[in-house]
Amino acid sequence: MNAQAAPTAAVLIIGDEILSGRTRDVNLNTIARFLAALGIDLMEARTVGDRQAQIVGALNALRQAYDYVLTTGGIGPTHDDITADAVGAAFGVAVAEHPEALAILERRYGPGEFNAARRRMARIPEGGSLIANPATDAPGFQIGNVFVMAGVPKIMEAMLQDVAPRLRTGAVVHARTIRVVGVGESAIAEVLRAAAEARPDLSYGSYPFGFGTDGEVGTQLVIRGRERAEVDAAEHDLSQELRYLGIDIAVT
Amino acid sequence: MNAQAAPTAAVLIIGDEILSGRTRDVNLNTIARFLAALGIDLMEARTVGDRQAQIVGALNALRQAYDYVLTTGGIGPTHDDITADAVGAAFGVAVAEHPEALAILERRYGPGEFNAARRRMARIPEGGSLIANPATDAPGFQIGNVFVMAGVPKIMEAMLQDVAPRLRTGAVVHARTIRVVGVGESAIAEVLRAAAEARPDLSYGSYPFGFGTDGEVGTQLVIRGRERAEVDAAEHDLSQELRYLGIDIAVT
């Protein structure tokens, strides 16, 4: 699927609250769909705690391996928000108050309201540029191929709008889903394997549903590829084969 | 917080459907809460696609760095289920039909129903032991410090019950939450920093809520530690300080 050299990306989720189980991350899925719409292949995601060595290690591994890294979490005003310092350490640059970020925050908070904690949110690694935050003003930042965003989902989503124009896009991956109801994966495994082998440029996935519950059971077959006509043809062929076997399907 | 050398763990989520955005992972949160209840520190999580080299690389990094690795996904009967082979490759061992797994699957499926695809689910890396699957029978497996489970949430949850007794447990981390309504993190950042510095054995986290939405805004302050009395004392002290500043709080 990478014949057209689609850009690649990784996500780095930063926050003890995800690893402790207190908070269920929703940002990864939002970013995954955002990147998919731009034709960028999300290759990997990591979740680390609020520990500088861990953030630095993960960030340096990911930014060298992929075209882009998008991070979430740890850029607020409190002592446990260490992402800016960790990113600075990863790049080997100092972290300092960014004049434009200071101006944005000064505008937001009245005189006397702009305390030390809030000033902290203007600290950006040297060489970084700001990512606008239309939700609550305090900006994220980009340095090199790394995009540093807030962890609060509504704010993170708002920041993505200023990230999008900075990314090189690829051909979008088209997907067709064949919904097979009443039989499990095993019943269609051989047909699916043969179909996948016949079209090595496409990806064929099989995702069972309903198992382990009392509800309807079945399997979603997902065909993905960057050539829409090929995906459509593959869906047509596989649907015919399944119908020929007497299996009930619905295509979406 | 690691004075008592709590066991450490990592989670490895395997599946293209998570990275494409098609599926939102819920297993990480389930496992995080499961490990927290056992006093095991979840240190890191990674999500990789259905690609052997990626699974092998991540698994070998994680199993060397932490006491336990729990994986989800890729152990079904279809061609895209490559986790057993990848785990075998990571450990440098062959993957073969496991007699006990074969017997379990033969019991589940009648004669003539036990096809090649279903047999595939009996393939386990050599030296592995089975993890019971009370939901749908097809087992997971353990090899070394790695626990390989299904990706379907209900099945994964059922498998955790057979993983629990195999894990060394630690002292459970106690958490108290102070809910601060009507003010943001910046208003309490200095008080919180001072509190955290005064009790270096505890972890103090600050999690804003409501920002970027039209709802109620505020901050949840979470104090965590393995000594319940110390956590309670820390909550008492911080609550008093916040009340002294005229800030409305609720403790849970």
Side-chain angles (χ1 to χ4, degrees), chain B residues 24-51:
Chain B
R24 177 181 292 183
D25 167 71
V26 298
N27 288 328
L28 174 57
N29 187 255
T30 303
I31 297 172
R33 287 182 287 110
F34 166 81
L35 293 171
L38 297 174
I40 297 168
D41 286 339
L42 176 57
M43 303 297 287
E44 180 176 350
R46 298 195 191 183
T47 305
V48 297
D50 300 313
R51 287 177 290 275

PDB file of all heavy atoms in Angstrom, chain B residues 24-51:
ATOM      1  N   ARG B  24     -11.965   2.237  17.949  1.00  0.00           N
ATOM      2  CA  ARG B  24     -11.398   2.929  19.106  1.00  0.00           C
ATOM      3  C   ARG B  24     -11.053   1.901  20.162  1.00  0.00           C
ATOM      4  O   ARG B  24     -11.918   1.167  20.634  1.00  0.00           O
ATOM      5  CB  ARG B  24     -12.410   3.935  19.654  1.00  0.00           C
ATOM      6  CG  ARG B  24     -11.929   4.653  20.900  1.00  0.00           C
ATOM      7  CD  ARG B  24     -12.956   5.616  21.436  1.00  0.00           C
ATOM      8  NE  ARG B  24     -13.140   6.747  20.537  1.00  0.00           N
ATOM      9  CZ  ARG B  24     -13.939   7.785  20.792  1.00  0.00           C
ATOM     10  NH1 ARG B  24     -14.634   7.827  21.906  1.00  0.00           N
ATOM     11  NH2 ARG B  24     -14.051   8.764  19.921  1.00  0.00           N
ATOM     12  N   ASP B  25      -9.779   1.852  20.529  1.00  0.00           N
ATOM     13  CA  ASP B  25      -9.349   0.876  21.531  1.00  0.00           C
ATOM     14  C   ASP B  25      -9.987   1.154  22.884  1.00  0.00           C
ATOM     15  O   ASP B  25     -10.018   2.297  23.334  1.00  0.00           O
ATOM     16  CB  ASP B  25      -7.831   0.919  21.700  1.00  0.00           C
ATOM     17  CG  ASP B  25      -7.395   0.153  22.932  1.00  0.00           C
ATOM     18  OD1 ASP B  25      -7.494  -1.091  22.898  1.00  0.00           O
ATOM     19  OD2 ASP B  25      -7.019   0.772  23.943  1.00  0.00           O
ATOM     20  N   VAL B  26     -10.475   0.097  23.533  1.00  0.00           N
ATOM     21  CA  VAL B  26     -10.950   0.230  24.910  1.00  0.00           C
ATOM     22  C   VAL B  26     -10.182  -0.705  25.841  1.00  0.00           C
ATOM     23  O   VAL B  26     -10.317  -0.623  27.062  1.00  0.00           O
ATOM     24  CB  VAL B  26     -12.466  -0.052  25.039  1.00  0.00           C
ATOM     25  CG1 VAL B  26     -13.268   0.965  24.223  1.00  0.00           C
ATOM     26  CG2 VAL B  26     -12.823  -1.460  24.614  1.00  0.00           C
ATOM     27  N   ASN B  27      -9.359  -1.579  25.257  1.00  0.00           N
ATOM     28  CA  ASN B  27      -8.664  -2.574  26.081  1.00  0.00           C
ATOM     29  C   ASN B  27      -7.606  -1.957  26.990  1.00  0.00           C
ATOM     30  O   ASN B  27      -7.380  -2.440  28.101  1.00  0.00           O
ATOM     31  CB  ASN B  27      -8.015  -3.635  25.194  1.00  0.00           C
ATOM     32  CG  ASN B  27      -9.042  -4.558  24.563  1.00  0.00           C
ATOM     33  OD1 ASN B  27     -10.084  -4.830  25.146  1.00  0.00           O
ATOM     34  ND2 ASN B  27      -8.765  -5.036  23.354  1.00  0.00           N
ATOM     35  N   LEU B  28      -6.925  -0.902  26.507  1.00  0.00           N
ATOM     36  CA  LEU B  28      -5.864  -0.316  27.336  1.00  0.00           C
ATOM     37  C   LEU B  28      -6.426   0.126  28.678  1.00  0.00           C
ATOM     38  O   LEU B  28      -5.841  -0.143  29.730  1.00  0.00           O
ATOM     39  CB  LEU B  28      -5.209   0.868  26.610  1.00  0.00           C
ATOM     40  CG  LEU B  28      -4.188   1.654  27.449  1.00  0.00           C
ATOM     41  CD1 LEU B  28      -3.071   0.754  27.963  1.00  0.00           C
ATOM     42  CD2 LEU B  28      -3.611   2.818  26.638  1.00  0.00           C
ATOM     43  N   ASN B  29      -7.577   0.795  28.670  1.00  0.00           N
ATOM     44  CA  ASN B  29      -8.147   1.266  29.921  1.00  0.00           C
ATOM     45  C   ASN B  29      -8.553   0.109  30.824  1.00  0.00           C
ATOM     46  O   ASN B  29      -8.341   0.146  32.042  1.00  0.00           O
ATOM     47  CB  ASN B  29      -9.348   2.187  29.641  1.00  0.00           C
ATOM     48  CG  ASN B  29      -9.867   2.838  30.906  1.00  0.00           C
ATOM     49  OD1 ASN B  29     -10.902   2.458  31.430  1.00  0.00           O
ATOM     50  ND2 ASN B  29      -9.132   3.803  31.425  1.00  0.00           N
ATOM     51  N   THR B  30      -9.114  -0.945  30.244  1.00  0.00           N
ATOM     52  CA  THR B  30      -9.493  -2.126  31.028  1.00  0.00           C
ATOM     53  C   THR B  30      -8.260  -2.743  31.699  1.00  0.00           C
ATOM     54  O   THR B  30      -8.280  -3.085  32.888  1.00  0.00           O
ATOM     55  CB  THR B  30     -10.162  -3.180  30.120  1.00  0.00           C
ATOM     56  OG1 THR B  30     -11.284  -2.588  29.473  1.00  0.00           O
ATOM     57  CG2 THR B  30     -10.610  -4.394  30.926  1.00  0.00           C
ATOM     58  N   ILE B  31      -7.200  -2.892  30.931  1.00  0.00           N
ATOM     59  CA  ILE B  31      -5.975  -3.495  31.471  1.00  0.00           C
ATOM     60  C   ILE B  31      -5.337  -2.574  32.507  1.00  0.00           C
ATOM     61  O   ILE B  31      -4.835  -3.030  33.542  1.00  0.00           O
ATOM     62  CB  ILE B  31      -4.978  -3.824  30.339  1.00  0.00           C
ATOM     63  CG1 ILE B  31      -5.591  -4.862  29.388  1.00  0.00           C
ATOM     64  CG2 ILE B  31      -3.657  -4.334  30.915  1.00  0.00           C
ATOM     65  CD1 ILE B  31      -4.759  -5.112  28.130  1.00  0.00           C
ATOM     66  N   ALA B  32      -5.371  -1.273  32.256  1.00  0.00           N
ATOM     67  CA  ALA B  32      -4.787  -0.317  33.212  1.00  0.00           C
ATOM     68  C   ALA B  32      -5.468  -0.450  34.570  1.00  0.00           C
ATOM     69  O   ALA B  32      -4.801  -0.487  35.615  1.00  0.00           O
ATOM     70  CB  ALA B  32      -4.920   1.109  32.673  1.00  0.00           C
ATOM     71  N   ARG B  33      -6.808  -0.541  34.562  1.00  0.00           N
ATOM     72  CA  ARG B  33      -7.531  -0.660  35.839  1.00  0.00           C
ATOM     73  C   ARG B  33      -7.298  -2.024  36.492  1.00  0.00           C
ATOM     74  O   ARG B  33      -7.171  -2.128  37.706  1.00  0.00           O
ATOM     75  CB  ARG B  33      -9.018  -0.370  35.613  1.00  0.00           C
ATOM     76  CG  ARG B  33      -9.266   1.137  35.380  1.00  0.00           C
ATOM     77  CD  ARG B  33     -10.741   1.492  35.198  1.00  0.00           C
ATOM     78  NE  ARG B  33     -11.245   1.051  33.906  1.00  0.00           N
ATOM     79  CZ  ARG B  33     -12.104   0.068  33.720  1.00  0.00           C
ATOM     80  NH1 ARG B  33     -12.598  -0.583  34.747  1.00  0.00           N
ATOM     81  NH2 ARG B  33     -12.483  -0.264  32.509  1.00  0.00           N
ATOM     82  N   PHE B  34      -7.197  -3.058  35.649  1.00  0.00           N
ATOM     83  CA  PHE B  34      -6.888  -4.414  36.142  1.00  0.00           C
ATOM     84  C   PHE B  34      -5.527  -4.431  36.856  1.00  0.00           C
ATOM     85  O   PHE B  34      -5.391  -4.962  37.966  1.00  0.00           O
ATOM     86  CB  PHE B  34      -6.906  -5.364  34.931  1.00  0.00           C
ATOM     87  CG  PHE B  34      -6.314  -6.715  35.138  1.00  0.00           C
ATOM     88  CD1 PHE B  34      -7.041  -7.729  35.749  1.00  0.00           C
ATOM     89  CD2 PHE B  34      -5.030  -7.005  34.691  1.00  0.00           C
ATOM     90  CE1 PHE B  34      -6.499  -9.001  35.914  1.00  0.00           C
ATOM     91  CE2 PHE B  34      -4.482  -8.274  34.845  1.00  0.00           C
ATOM     92  CZ  PHE B  34      -5.217  -9.267  35.467  1.00  0.00           C
ATOM     93  N   LEU B  35      -4.523  -3.843  36.231  1.00  0.00           N
ATOM     94  CA  LEU B  35      -3.177  -3.840  36.821  1.00  0.00           C
ATOM     95  C   LEU B  35      -3.131  -2.968  38.078  1.00  0.00           C
ATOM     96  O   LEU B  35      -2.481  -3.327  39.065  1.00  0.00           O
ATOM     97  CB  LEU B  35      -2.149  -3.354  35.801  1.00  0.00           C
ATOM     98  CG  LEU B  35      -1.929  -4.279  34.601  1.00  0.00           C
ATOM     99  CD1 LEU B  35      -1.048  -3.587  33.554  1.00  0.00           C
ATOM    100  CD2 LEU B  35      -1.299  -5.602  35.027  1.00  0.00           C
ATOM    101  N   ALA B  36      -3.824  -1.829  38.042  1.00  0.00           N
ATOM    102  CA  ALA B  36      -3.837  -0.942  39.213  1.00  0.00           C
ATOM    103  C   ALA B  36      -4.397  -1.665  40.431  1.00  0.00           C
ATOM    104  O   ALA B  36      -3.877  -1.526  41.542  1.00  0.00           O
ATOM    105  CB  ALA B  36      -4.656   0.317  38.903  1.00  0.00           C
ATOM    106  N   ALA B  37      -5.434  -2.466  40.212  1.00  0.00           N
ATOM    107  CA  ALA B  37      -6.051  -3.193  41.324  1.00  0.00           C
ATOM    108  C   ALA B  37      -5.110  -4.243  41.906  1.00  0.00           C
ATOM    109  O   ALA B  37      -5.266  -4.665  43.056  1.00  0.00           O
ATOM    110  CB  ALA B  37      -7.349  -3.849  40.860  1.00  0.00           C
ATOM    111  N   LEU B  38      -4.126  -4.664  41.113  1.00  0.00           N
ATOM    112  CA  LEU B  38      -3.140  -5.650  41.580  1.00  0.00           C
ATOM    113  C   LEU B  38      -1.865  -4.978  42.103  1.00  0.00           C
ATOM    114  O   LEU B  38      -0.912  -5.662  42.470  1.00  0.00           O
ATOM    115  CB  LEU B  38      -2.789  -6.613  40.437  1.00  0.00           C
ATOM    116  CG  LEU B  38      -3.943  -7.474  39.901  1.00  0.00           C
ATOM    117  CD1 LEU B  38      -3.491  -8.258  38.677  1.00  0.00           C
ATOM    118  CD2 LEU B  38      -4.451  -8.431  40.983  1.00  0.00           C
ATOM    119  N   GLY B  39      -1.832  -3.664  42.082  1.00  0.00           N
ATOM    120  CA  GLY B  39      -0.640  -2.961  42.558  1.00  0.00           C
ATOM    121  C   GLY B  39       0.531  -3.057  41.603  1.00  0.00           C
ATOM    122  O   GLY B  39       1.693  -2.925  42.001  1.00  0.00           O
ATOM    123  N   ILE B  40       0.239  -3.292  40.320  1.00  0.00           N
ATOM    124  CA  ILE B  40       1.292  -3.380  39.303  1.00  0.00           C
ATOM    125  C   ILE B  40       1.323  -2.056  38.543  1.00  0.00           C
ATOM    126  O   ILE B  40       0.283  -1.551  38.123  1.00  0.00           O
ATOM    127  CB  ILE B  40       1.013  -4.556  38.342  1.00  0.00           C
ATOM    128  CG1 ILE B  40       1.046  -5.870  39.126  1.00  0.00           C
ATOM    129  CG2 ILE B  40       2.005  -4.563  37.174  1.00  0.00           C
ATOM    130  CD1 ILE B  40       0.510  -7.065  38.346  1.00  0.00           C
ATOM    131  N   ASP B  41       2.517  -1.491  38.370  1.00  0.00           N
ATOM    132  CA  ASP B  41       2.653  -0.191  37.695  1.00  0.00           C
ATOM    133  C   ASP B  41       2.684  -0.376  36.180  1.00  0.00           C
ATOM    134  O   ASP B  41       3.636  -0.944  35.636  1.00  0.00           O
ATOM    135  CB  ASP B  41       3.943   0.507  38.138  1.00  0.00           C
ATOM    136  CG  ASP B  41       3.838   1.076  39.544  1.00  0.00           C
ATOM    137  OD1 ASP B  41       2.706   1.286  40.017  1.00  0.00           O
ATOM    138  OD2 ASP B  41       4.895   1.302  40.170  1.00  0.00           O
ATOM    139  N   LEU B  42       1.650   0.127  35.509  1.00  0.00           N
ATOM    140  CA  LEU B  42       1.659   0.142  34.039  1.00  0.00           C
ATOM    141  C   LEU B  42       2.522   1.317  33.602  1.00  0.00           C
ATOM    142  O   LEU B  42       2.199   2.475  33.875  1.00  0.00           O
ATOM    143  CB  LEU B  42       0.231   0.269  33.496  1.00  0.00           C
ATOM    144  CG  LEU B  42       0.119   0.400  31.980  1.00  0.00           C
ATOM    145  CD1 LEU B  42       0.784  -0.762  31.257  1.00  0.00           C
ATOM    146  CD2 LEU B  42      -1.343   0.518  31.562  1.00  0.00           C
ATOM    147  N   MET B  43       3.633   1.015  32.943  1.00  0.00           N
ATOM    148  CA  MET B  43       4.634   2.043  32.635  1.00  0.00           C
ATOM    149  C   MET B  43       4.503   2.602  31.228  1.00  0.00           C
ATOM    150  O   MET B  43       4.934   3.715  30.962  1.00  0.00           O
ATOM    151  CB  MET B  43       6.037   1.445  32.786  1.00  0.00           C
ATOM    152  CG  MET B  43       6.318   0.862  34.156  1.00  0.00           C
ATOM    153  SD  MET B  43       6.258   2.105  35.467  1.00  0.00           S
ATOM    154  CE  MET B  43       7.801   2.978  35.133  1.00  0.00           C
ATOM    155  N   GLU B  44       3.965   1.822  30.318  1.00  0.00           N
ATOM    156  CA  GLU B  44       4.012   2.230  28.912  1.00  0.00           C
ATOM    157  C   GLU B  44       3.019   1.387  28.123  1.00  0.00           C
ATOM    158  O   GLU B  44       2.721   0.250  28.479  1.00  0.00           O
ATOM    159  CB  GLU B  44       5.441   1.968  28.386  1.00  0.00           C
ATOM    160  CG  GLU B  44       5.650   2.338  26.940  1.00  0.00           C
ATOM    161  CD  GLU B  44       7.092   2.168  26.473  1.00  0.00           C
ATOM    162  OE1 GLU B  44       8.002   1.939  27.302  1.00  0.00           O
ATOM    163  OE2 GLU B  44       7.309   2.265  25.250  1.00  0.00           O
ATOM    164  N   ALA B  45       2.510   1.950  27.045  1.00  0.00           N
ATOM    165  CA  ALA B  45       1.680   1.180  26.116  1.00  0.00           C
ATOM    166  C   ALA B  45       2.106   1.526  24.698  1.00  0.00           C
ATOM    167  O   ALA B  45       2.521   2.653  24.423  1.00  0.00           O
ATOM    168  CB  ALA B  45       0.205   1.493  26.312  1.00  0.00           C
ATOM    169  N   ARG B  46       2.049   0.536  23.827  1.00  0.00           N
ATOM    170  CA  ARG B  46       2.323   0.797  22.412  1.00  0.00           C
ATOM    171  C   ARG B  46       1.217   0.171  21.572  1.00  0.00           C
ATOM    172  O   ARG B  46       0.663  -0.861  21.932  1.00  0.00           O
ATOM    173  CB  ARG B  46       3.671   0.203  21.986  1.00  0.00           C
ATOM    174  CG  ARG B  46       4.842   0.808  22.730  1.00  0.00           C
ATOM    175  CD  ARG B  46       6.158   0.483  22.068  1.00  0.00           C
ATOM    176  NE  ARG B  46       7.263   0.847  22.937  1.00  0.00           N
ATOM    177  CZ  ARG B  46       8.542   0.738  22.616  1.00  0.00           C
ATOM    178  NH1 ARG B  46       8.888   0.238  21.428  1.00  0.00           N
ATOM    179  NH2 ARG B  46       9.481   1.108  23.461  1.00  0.00           N
ATOM    180  N   THR B  47       0.937   0.819  20.456  1.00  0.00           N
ATOM    181  CA  THR B  47       0.001   0.285  19.478  1.00  0.00           C
ATOM    182  C   THR B  47       0.752   0.125  18.168  1.00  0.00           C
ATOM    183  O   THR B  47       1.376   1.080  17.691  1.00  0.00           O
ATOM    184  CB  THR B  47      -1.187   1.250  19.267  1.00  0.00           C
ATOM    185  OG1 THR B  47      -1.800   1.514  20.525  1.00  0.00           O
ATOM    186  CG2 THR B  47      -2.211   0.643  18.310  1.00  0.00           C
ATOM    187  N   VAL B  48       0.722  -1.079  17.616  1.00  0.00           N
ATOM    188  CA  VAL B  48       1.389  -1.334  16.336  1.00  0.00           C
ATOM    189  C   VAL B  48       0.412  -2.017  15.387  1.00  0.00           C
ATOM    190  O   VAL B  48      -0.633  -2.527  15.814  1.00  0.00           O
ATOM    191  CB  VAL B  48       2.653  -2.212  16.504  1.00  0.00           C
ATOM    192  CG1 VAL B  48       3.707  -1.508  17.360  1.00  0.00           C
ATOM    193  CG2 VAL B  48       2.296  -3.568  17.089  1.00  0.00           C
ATOM    194  N   GLY B  49       0.753  -2.018  14.094  1.00  0.00           N
ATOM    195  CA  GLY B  49      -0.105  -2.638  13.098  1.00  0.00           C
ATOM    196  C   GLY B  49       0.160  -4.132  12.970  1.00  0.00           C
ATOM    197  O   GLY B  49       0.980  -4.709  13.687  1.00  0.00           O
ATOM    198  N   ASP B  50      -0.568  -4.753  12.056  1.00  0.00           N
ATOM    199  CA  ASP B  50      -0.434  -6.197  11.825  1.00  0.00           C
ATOM    200  C   ASP B  50       0.766  -6.448  10.911  1.00  0.00           C
ATOM    201  O   ASP B  50       0.628  -6.897   9.771  1.00  0.00           O
ATOM    202  CB  ASP B  50      -1.717  -6.738  11.186  1.00  0.00           C
ATOM    203  CG  ASP B  50      -2.940  -6.520  12.072  1.00  0.00           C
ATOM    204  OD1 ASP B  50      -2.850  -6.810  13.277  1.00  0.00           O
ATOM    205  OD2 ASP B  50      -3.964  -6.059  11.559  1.00  0.00           O
ATOM    206  N   ARG B  51       1.943  -6.103  11.398  1.00  0.00           N
ATOM    207  CA  ARG B  51       3.187  -6.292  10.637  1.00  0.00           C
ATOM    208  C   ARG B  51       4.193  -6.965  11.554  1.00  0.00           C
ATOM    209  O   ARG B  51       4.493  -6.459  12.638  1.00  0.00           O
ATOM    210  CB  ARG B  51       3.751  -4.936  10.178  1.00  0.00           C
ATOM    211  CG  ARG B  51       2.963  -4.268   9.041  1.00  0.00           C
ATOM    212  CD  ARG B  51       3.527  -2.909   8.693  1.00  0.00           C
ATOM    213  NE  ARG B  51       3.261  -1.949   9.757  1.00  0.00           N
ATOM    214  CZ  ARG B  51       2.133  -1.256   9.880  1.00  0.00           C
ATOM    215  NH1 ARG B  51       1.163  -1.387   8.996  1.00  0.00           N
ATOM    216  NH2 ARG B  51       1.968  -0.420  10.881  1.00  0.00           N
TER     217      ARG B  51
END
